[in-house]
Amino acid sequence: MLPVFGHTNPDTDAITSALVYARLLTRQGVPAQAYRLGELNFETPFVLREAGVEVPELLPKLPAGTPVALVDHNESAQSVPNLPELTVTRVVDHHKLGDLTTAQPAYLRFEPVGCTATILLGLHREARMPVERLDARLMLSAILSDTLHFRSPTTTPQDREAVAFLAPIAGVEDVGAYALAMFAAKSDLGDTPAETLLRMDYKVFPFGDPPQRWGLGVIETTNPAYVLGRQAELLAAMDRARAEEGLSGVLLSVVDILNETNLTLVLSATEEKVLREAFGVEVAGGRADLGNRISRKKQIVPALEAYFAPEA
Amino acid sequence: MLPVFGHTNPDTDAITSALVYARLLTRQGVPAQAYRLGELNFETPFVLREAGVEVPELLPKLPAGTPVALVDHNESAQSVPNLPELTVTRVVDHHKLGDLTTAQPAYLRFEPVGCTATILLGLHREARMPVERLDARLMLSAILSDTLHFRSPTTTPQDREAVAFLAPIAGVEDVGAYALAMFAAKSDLGDTPAETLLRMDYKVFPFGDPPQRWGLGVIETTNPAYVLGRQAELLAAMDRARAEEGLSGVLLSVVDILNETNLTLVLSATEEKVLREAFGVEVAGGRADLGNRISRKKQIVPALEAYFAPEA
């Protein structure tokens, strides 16, 4: 059984793409099983419950040399700790290519679209595999989640076309209402500890050469006032993360899904300087107003890459 | 016009895949132009002449930030010197993934098949683009060249299926006779200087950590006696290459296409030790008999990767 898994701190795309790709590979004669690399956020259980599918198991420690398939990520900092020892035979991803290498030729499928699930729909079509209702529902949910129902600048025409194609197969009549229900589930944070909030959608990136490691968290919510009301707790959690993970900086962006705005919490003078200089924004009250920069992948990471890039 | 190019010291796949992918992209609304990164070997002009297509121009120096598409390679050591400054937006390749990274999500299409052209045929099919006669002839030639007409262990069922599909479109009735004619053209080396012979199919690979750079040349021929008769000249050329390029070692394999054997020239005690220990073969008369290891990609490079890998 080929293990298939998405990134740590999994979001809906990381989980559902592992499920859908494992099912597709199995149908194609490559027995595969989906795993997760961490606890789910608050949106994904809603999606899995509505689809009637079990939460994938946590990936066990794999022996060196085990063949694996990655979905929705490729950088070692976002994967299992012993990724360099494993044999990556397949990757389906929509992120920039990081430090991945392979010892042998592999199957790599990267497309600059809004969601891994959009690529997976293409794989079904190319293989002339009819899309099953369960897979349609999972892929539809992932695309709505990753693109914030087409609000994110990462959205491409292929993502919109995929949703239009998948909705009737999935039996979702009102896509807008379904997306709002997903976002409400994601925003129902209750008394979740600040540590958990920070890590719900959190990735570590190396920037510059020699690389410094930055932790970049995002909380996408329909209720930003609630999250911002817990600013002091969240800053304390960011401070602990920086110390424990030996990071150069930590940013936590509170993204208002419906109004498409980003207020980013500012931990220290280090982050303040970088935010001012990389984005040209002002910092006040411990927050930087990043305006409509709501995509980490498309608007935050590239600006930081450019800021930290060595002079040519 | 998006520049599309294969690796340095181009072989038939590197040249024809650039031509075919540029034509496909252009038909798909992305104007593209094929280039080459060096002089052709003796097989490719035969293929282009038979197909009635011009030799692509040498790639000019591109300004930093220029978007480019790579075919048949991905490692910086086999590409343009300023690859890290360029913006790689597309890669179609069948080699292991090396040191490539991208600043933005890109279109990457890697499959573990015998030839880039086999992947390109798949791209035509997925896009429902009918394969034109010229493209069929170029893709057919590349697959026969890379797989040595299915003799190489890199050959996959997809490569065989592609040839069976392409031959009638290309108007090639006797595939075996066409392949022999290609190999004869490649083997008609005349009074080619030893420097040129060494570099006809020559790639530099980093092995180990910290990496040491090795130059690995292959001469695929139906007339190995001719090449081996020039052993002294070739060893002198290898010695110059090692000094000029600051390499840790240089290997030149003389591959008998029809009998599927590999005699590798041994430059010095360094290469002799590595050949003995990495492949368990004996060295005599300045040659190591590597038996039926005729694929650099599948049989030479992985053994050297493993040999130079740091202890886990």
Side-chain angles (χ1 to χ4, degrees):
Chain A
M1 297 286 273
L2 181 69
V4 183
F5 50 88
H7 51 79
T8 52
N9 306 305
D11 60 5
T12 296
D13 190 23
I15 296 293
T16 60
S17 288
L19 287 164
V20 171
Y21 194 38
R23 284 165 53 85
L24 178 64
L25 286 171
T26 302
R27 286 167 76 188
Q28 291 181 312
V30 180
Q33 182 166 350
Y35 290 94
R36 63 185 162 90
L37 294 193
E39 299 309 311
L40 303 190
N41 66 17
F42 290 81
E43 179 186 77
T44 310
F46 169 85
V47 168
L48 299 183
R49 200 163 53 235
E50 291 281 312
V53 62
E54 296 285 316
V55 176
E57 289 173 32
L58 260 182
L59 186 75
K61 173 88 156 71
L62 298 175
T66 306
V68 297
L70 312 184
V71 291
D72 197 36
H73 75 299
N74 69 85
E75 304 204 33
S76 60
Q78 296 158 14
S79 198
V80 283
N82 69 334
L83 185 71
E85 293 170 29
L86 304 178
T87 302
V88 176
T89 60
R90 292 165 181 273
V91 185
V92 181
D93 193 11
H94 66 127
H95 296 90
K96 71 189 175 75
L97 179 61
D99 60 354
L100 182 70
T101 63
T102 68
Q104 292 276 351
Y107 181 90
L108 309 183
R109 187 65 181 257
F110 287 58
E111 296 183 24
V113 293
C115 182
T116 305
T118 303
I119 308 171
L120 291 174
L121 173 60
L123 296 187
H124 281 80
R125 288 169 163 172
E126 287 161 19
R128 313 268 161 119
M129 286 280 184
V131 176
E132 295 185 355
R133 182 186 166 96
L134 168 59
D135 296 304
R137 190 170 265 272
L138 294 174
M139 289 189 276
L140 175 76
S141 304
I143 301 169
L144 295 173
S145 170
D146 262 18
T147 66
L148 301 175
H149 194 189
F150 310 149
R151 289 177 182 86
S152 168
T154 57
T155 309
T156 66
Q158 293 98 302
D159 302 306
R160 293 175 186 272
E161 191 274 325
V163 164
F165 177 84
L166 291 167
I169 304 172
V172 172
E173 282 180 26
D174 186 338
V175 169
Y178 178 72
L180 284 178
M182 274 177 45
F183 300 149
K186 177 186 240 172
S187 307
D188 183 16
L189 302 173
D191 53 1
T192 308
E195 295 282 356
T196 308
L197 291 183
L198 169 62
R199 287 175 197 282
M200 273 193 317
D201 183 1
Y202 176 83
K203 296 181 181 178
V204 172
F205 292 86
F207 291 124
D209 186 16
Q212 39 174 289
R213 297 168 68 244
W214 280 65
L216 306 186
V218 178
I219 299 178
E220 292 170 347
T221 178
T222 57
N223 188 2
Y226 168 82
V227 179
L228 294 168
R230 297 181 61 183
Q231 177 165 337
E233 280 175 78
L234 289 166
L235 286 168
M238 290 158 68
D239 197 33
R240 285 190 295 275
R242 184 172 55 176
E244 285 165 14
E245 300 171 35
L247 301 172
S248 299
V250 181
L251 299 177
L252 178 60
S253 294
V254 182
V255 167
D256 180 334
I257 299 175
L258 302 180
N259 293 304
E260 303 176 36
T261 58
N262 174 353
L263 291 173
T264 291
L265 303 190
V266 178
L267 179 57
S268 76
T270 300
E271 286 83 359
E272 180 168 339
K273 177 170 188 296
V274 169
L275 285 165
R276 280 192 208 278
E277 295 179 1
F279 298 96
V281 297
E282 283 312 303
V283 173
R287 302 171 188 172
D289 184 349
L290 292 189
N292 67 354
R293 295 178 185 89
I294 62 177
S295 167
R296 175 173 54 198
K297 182 168 91 164
K298 196 130 183 161
Q299 297 169 305
I300 308 295
V301 169
L304 293 173
E305 289 263 12
Y307 177 76
F308 286 110
E311 295 293 323
Chain B
M1 296 284 273
L2 180 70
V4 183
F5 50 88
H7 51 80
T8 52
N9 305 305
D11 60 5
T12 296
D13 191 24
I15 296 293
T16 60
S17 288
L19 287 164
V20 171
Y21 194 37
R23 285 165 52 86
L24 178 63
L25 286 171
T26 302
R27 285 166 77 188
Q28 291 181 312
V30 180
Q33 181 165 350
Y35 291 93
R36 63 185 162 91
L37 294 194
E39 296 310 310
L40 304 189
N41 66 18
F42 289 81
E43 180 186 78
T44 310
F46 170 84
V47 167
L48 299 183
R49 200 164 52 236
E50 291 282 312
V53 62
E54 295 287 315
V55 176
E57 288 173 33
L58 261 182
L59 186 75
K61 174 87 156 71
L62 299 174
T66 306
V68 296
L70 311 185
V71 292
D72 198 36
H73 75 298
N74 68 86
E75 304 203 34
S76 61
Q78 297 159 13
S79 199
V80 282
N82 69 334
L83 186 70
E85 293 169 29
L86 304 178
T87 301
V88 176
T89 61
R90 294 166 180 271
V91 186
V92 182
D93 192 12
H94 66 126
H95 296 90
K96 71 189 176 74
L97 178 61
D99 59 353
L100 181 70
T101 63
T102 68
Q104 291 275 352
Y107 180 89
L108 309 182
R109 187 65 181 259
F110 287 58
E111 296 184 24
V113 293
C115 182
T116 305
T118 303
I119 308 171
L120 291 174
L121 173 58
L123 297 187
H124 281 80
R125 288 169 164 173
E126 287 160 20
R128 313 266 161 120
M129 286 281 184
V131 176
E132 295 184 355
R133 182 187 166 95
L134 169 59
D135 296 303
R137 190 169 265 272
L138 295 175
M139 290 189 274
L140 175 75
S141 304
I143 300 170
L144 295 173
S145 170
D146 263 17
T147 66
L148 301 174
H149 194 189
F150 310 150
R151 289 176 182 85
S152 168
T154 57
T155 309
T156 67
Q158 293 98 300
D159 302 306
R160 293 175 185 272
E161 191 273 326
V163 165
F165 177 85
L166 291 167
I169 303 171
V172 173
E173 281 179 27
D174 186 337
V175 169
Y178 179 70
L180 283 179
M182 274 176 46
F183 301 150
K186 178 186 239 173
S187 307
D188 184 15
L189 302 173
D191 53 0
T192 310
E195 295 283 356
T196 308
L197 292 183
L198 169 63
R199 289 176 196 282
M200 272 193 317
D201 182 1
Y202 176 84
K203 296 180 182 178
V204 171
F205 292 86
F207 293 123
D209 187 16
Q212 39 174 288
R213 295 169 70 244
W214 280 65
L216 306 185
V218 179
I219 299 178
E220 292 170 347
T221 177
T222 57
N223 188 2
Y226 169 81
V227 179
L228 293 168
R230 298 181 61 183
Q231 178 164 335
E233 281 175 77
L234 288 166
L235 285 168
M238 290 159 70
D239 197 34
R240 284 192 295 275
R242 185 172 55 178
E244 284 165 14
E245 299 170 37
L247 301 172
S248 300
V250 181
L251 299 176
L252 178 60
S253 296
V254 182
V255 167
D256 180 335
I257 299 176
L258 301 179
N259 294 302
E260 303 175 35
T261 57
N262 174 350
L263 290 173
T264 292
L265 303 191
V266 178
L267 178 56
S268 75
T270 302
E271 287 83 357
E272 180 168 340
K273 178 173 188 296
V274 169
L275 285 165
R276 280 192 208 280
E277 295 179 0
F279 298 96
V281 297
E282 283 313 302
V283 172
R287 302 171 188 172
D289 183 349
L290 292 190
N292 66 356
R293 295 180 185 87
I294 63 177
S295 167
R296 176 173 52 199
K297 182 168 90 164
K298 196 130 183 163
Q299 297 170 306
I300 309 295
V301 169
L304 294 173
E305 290 263 13
Y307 176 77
F308 287 108
E311 295 293 323

